[in-house]
Amino acid sequence: MDIKEHVVSAIDPNEYNDTKNIDIPPMLIDQIIGQEDAVETIKKAAKQRRNVLLIGEPGIGKSMIAKAMAELLPPEDLQDILIYPNVENPNNPLVGVMPAGQGKKIVQNSKEQFKKQESRKNTLTIAIIALIMAIGFITNQFLTAIIAVGIVFFALYQIKPKNQQLAPKLLVNSENKKVAPFIDATGAHAGALLGDVRHDPYQSGGLGTPAHERVESGMIHRANKGVLYIDEIGTMDMKTQQELLTAMQEHKLQITGQSDTSSGAMVRTDAVPCDFVLVASGNLEVLDGMHIALRSRIRGYGYEIFMKDTMEDTPENRKKLSQFVAQEVKNDGRIPHFSKEAVAEIIKEAQRRAGKKDTLTLKLRDLGGLVRAAGDIAIEEGANEVTPDHVFEAKKQARSLEQQIADRYIKQRKEYSVYSNEGSKIGCINGLAVIGNSSGIVLPIAAEAAPSQSKEEGKIIAAGKLGDIAKEAVQNVGAIIKKSIGTDISNYDIHIQFVQSYDGVEGDSASVSMATAIISAIEDIPIDQTMALTGSLSVRGTVLPIGGATYKIEAAAESGIKKVLIPASNVNDVLIDKKYVDQIEIVPVHTLIDVLEHALVGPKKDAFIKSLKEKEEQRK
């Protein structure tokens, strides 16, 4: 494999502009990068007011698409919602709906009328008090007059709250809104989402706040005629999802107290309009927690969209990424513009993070973090614009937690000789693993084969915190070894140790490493310690593709490893940084025999490999 073909390619900065010279489209829908299919679907959904379910990796623009959809909805349909007192049944407030901007006028008119009434009442009160005091002065009954004034004042004061109860409450105000509302209800509890009625401990005796004044709008009501966005919708309580489904179907929902022990539970309004478009999102796992009927409603009356996390590496898409950098600078508002050379470096990083040749990453939230970090460094240095040096420094400083942990693992394991990157050892191998989504580490694996203590059969004993898939991979190794080398491992007790794997092992990408370590232990043939490897194994001994090939290779290079074996099907996924070109050799492998041929060393190797190939030919 020619490693130079799998290095992040050089990019000519002259093909791009400084971000201050890049035009940014005014519409949010035109600022979305790399999701052309999703954009077209969203445009159709907005036109027909269809619900949408967006599925994809975090940070690829799901919330941005939802906001863009709100811009596409007609703002002229917006409404104000008022809550009126119900004289006949105070615990059942009435609902009034009117065009945007009218609700505030009605409330103001009501307040002005009450002010006039209050003014007339005050004038009347002063006149009555003056008359009583005058009569008391004439009749010389001052004490009686004072008592009478107190009675009159108290009586008139008691009339005040009754008058005020007639004023409506503006529940949803849509005045002066230029676009349809966008409400992000991610993580909202039932009261915030569906509306609530405040508890009033003074409700008895006529001293409390009127019921209609205690009604609070929910996010579904504030999203009326707009977009309600809920990320990770599968984490929402099932009862709340059922209420949400009702609101979607009926386009209205009554507001009542969400706590059964609160006085608000006695209050239930008329149905309040909530004619929203639901945009729900999450990853594939979120579907397990979704209410079946809710998802069916979206699928039957809307669209499900699986969003991309990479796009083709073309000149046009590179231009779009340069526009993305300009958008991030503008949206942040606190960092300087990027030079065209710095823009080119961001595009190169998008190539590397894609994890596949000839593609660019669409995990733009993480890429945006790099843009802001580079801008912060430029500000700290007092620079007028961001340069490539600022981007390089940002890549060092703005590392993810997983990258920091991986770097620490590599350093500690070097210091304490947890793994070896020179010489050869029997039963010891340098596996490779990924932490998070973008950081690789060396995963040392040790195997020991001892005669079986059981008269019936031997066992495979794996030490380490293994996930379900990793446990299944361990069990499959026995069948793979028996088929590949013809040795029945039931005569052995096989001990496998994932050295210092405190965070556990998930997936089956260590299958090829385990099989190689066990074969080394059984056949007493050393393994080259200057080499590391990764790959899953089929029960037929074929090396299957894995994830994170680029990050694993770079971790091996950082650890002083000289050669890495990867599945041949992962070759096009490799796109490493230029600095690793002279540090490491990459070898694609197809079968377990290919792996053993590169991994094993010593005088027994050649005869062993020859016998394996002869057996393979006989099976064919």
Side-chain angles (χ1 to χ4, degrees), residues 91-279:
N91 286 328
N92 180 214
L94 306 176
V95 175
V97 181
M98 55 210 60
Q102 298 299 312
K104 187 175 181 180
K105 294 178 182 178
I106 290 175
V107 173
Q108 288 177 342
N109 290 338
S110 298
K111 289 181 178 179
E112 288 176 2
Q113 290 178 6
F114 293 138
K115 283 182 181 179
K116 291 178 182 179
Q117 292 178 6
E118 188 72 15
S119 178
R120 287 196 294 268
K121 187 185 75 172
N122 291 338
T123 302
L124 178 62
T125 301
I126 293 172
I128 293 174
I129 291 174
L131 178 61
I132 293 174
M133 293 302 295
I135 294 173
F137 179 79
I138 294 171
T139 60
N140 204 27
Q141 298 290 324
F142 294 109
L143 181 59
T144 303
I146 291 172
I147 293 172
V149 167
I151 293 172
V152 169
F153 184 82
F154 181 76
L156 292 174
Y157 177 81
Q158 289 287 42
I159 297 174
K160 182 177 179 181
K162 294 180 181 179
N163 287 338
Q164 285 186 336
Q165 287 182 7
L166 299 176
K169 177 180 179 178
L170 184 57
L171 191 70
V172 176
N173 183 11
S174 300
E175 184 183 28
N176 297 327
K177 289 186 177 178
K178 304 299 183 183
V179 296
F182 170 80
I183 303 297
D184 188 346
T186 302
H189 58 79
L193 180 67
L194 306 172
D196 207 346
V197 180
R198 287 181 283 115
H199 176 67
D200 185 2
Y202 301 107
Q203 65 173 350
S204 61
L207 300 177
T209 304
H212 76 286
E213 288 286 353
R214 293 187 283 122
V215 174
E216 300 294 341
S217 63
M219 291 178 172
I220 61 172
H221 306 111
R222 295 197 295 277
N224 185 44
K225 301 299 181 181
V227 171
L228 180 73
Y229 174 65
I230 304 177
D231 194 15
E232 301 299 331
I233 191 169
T235 61
M236 186 177 288
D237 179 79
M238 278 295 173
K239 182 176 182 298
T240 305
Q241 290 191 49
Q242 180 63 54
E243 294 279 4
L244 181 63
L245 175 61
T246 301
M248 287 172 59
Q249 291 173 327
E250 303 297 331
H251 304 302
K252 55 186 178 180
L253 189 72
Q254 293 176 305
I255 297 177
T256 188
Q258 294 297 323
S259 172
D260 293 337
T261 60
S262 166
S263 65
M266 299 173 59
V267 178
R268 183 175 289 272
T269 69
D270 282 354
V272 180
C274 54
D275 184 12
F276 57 84
V277 174
L278 176 66
V279 179

Side-chain angles (χ1 to χ4, degrees), residues 256-484:
T256 188
Q258 294 297 323
S259 172
D260 293 337
T261 60
S262 166
S263 65
M266 299 173 59
V267 178
R268 183 175 289 272
T269 69
D270 282 354
V272 180
C274 54
D275 184 12
F276 57 84
V277 174
L278 176 66
V279 179
S281 68
N283 52 29
L284 280 173
E285 288 74 17
V286 84
L287 299 178
D288 296 334
M290 277 192 73
H291 195 292
I292 296 175
L294 178 60
R295 187 183 172 195
S296 176
R297 179 77 184 181
I298 297 174
R299 188 167 60 246
Y301 295 88
Y303 298 93
E304 292 185 337
I305 302 172
F306 188 74
M307 298 180 65
K308 299 185 296 183
D309 58 4
T310 61
M311 62 181 175
E312 189 178 355
D313 186 1
T314 64
E316 181 184 358
N317 285 339
R318 291 184 182 185
K319 290 281 187 182
K320 291 178 180 178
L321 275 181
S322 68
Q323 175 189 308
F324 164 76
V325 178
Q327 290 170 187
E328 290 297 291
V329 172
K330 179 182 177 182
N331 293 336
D332 185 88
R334 292 172 290 177
I335 58 176
H337 280 285
F338 277 54
S339 68
K340 57 187 179 183
E341 291 81 9
V343 170
E345 289 302 323
I346 295 293
I347 295 173
K348 286 174 65 175
E349 185 64 15
Q351 289 179 326
R352 198 186 74 84
R353 295 189 182 194
K356 189 174 182 180
K357 191 178 179 183
D358 298 326
T359 59
L360 298 166
T361 185
L362 285 175
K363 294 181 180 179
L364 300 181
R365 183 182 299 152
D366 292 343
L367 205 61
L370 179 62
V371 170
R372 284 180 285 278
D376 290 344
I377 292 170
I379 289 291
E380 186 178 5
E381 294 181 0
N384 294 323
E385 67 175 3
V386 178
T387 66
D389 289 340
H390 297 136
V391 177
F392 296 146
E393 186 62 27
K395 288 170 64 175
K396 296 177 185 177
Q397 294 186 14
R399 295 172 300 159
S400 67
L401 289 174
E402 290 84 2
Q403 287 173 316
Q404 295 176 49
I405 292 169
D407 290 346
R408 191 170 299 176
Y409 277 175
I410 291 171
K411 182 178 179 181
Q412 289 177 346
R413 289 175 179 182
K414 274 185 179 179
E415 289 177 353
Y416 294 100
S417 302
V418 174
Y419 66 89
S420 176
N421 56 14
E422 57 185 19
S424 61
K425 291 182 181 179
I426 294 173
C428 295
I429 197 163
N430 294 319
L432 295 169
V434 170
I435 297 180
N437 295 319
S438 58
S439 301
I441 59 168
V442 174
L443 178 66
I445 298 173
E448 187 66 46
S452 172
Q453 298 299 311
S454 170
K455 295 181 180 180
E456 297 178 357
E457 62 177 8
K459 296 180 292 184
I460 297 180
I461 304 165
K465 187 179 177 183
L466 306 184
D468 292 337
I469 298 177
K471 290 177 182 177
E472 291 176 5
V474 170
Q475 298 304 317
N476 288 336
V477 163
I480 296 169
I481 292 174
K482 184 175 181 179
K483 178 185 180 301
S484 298

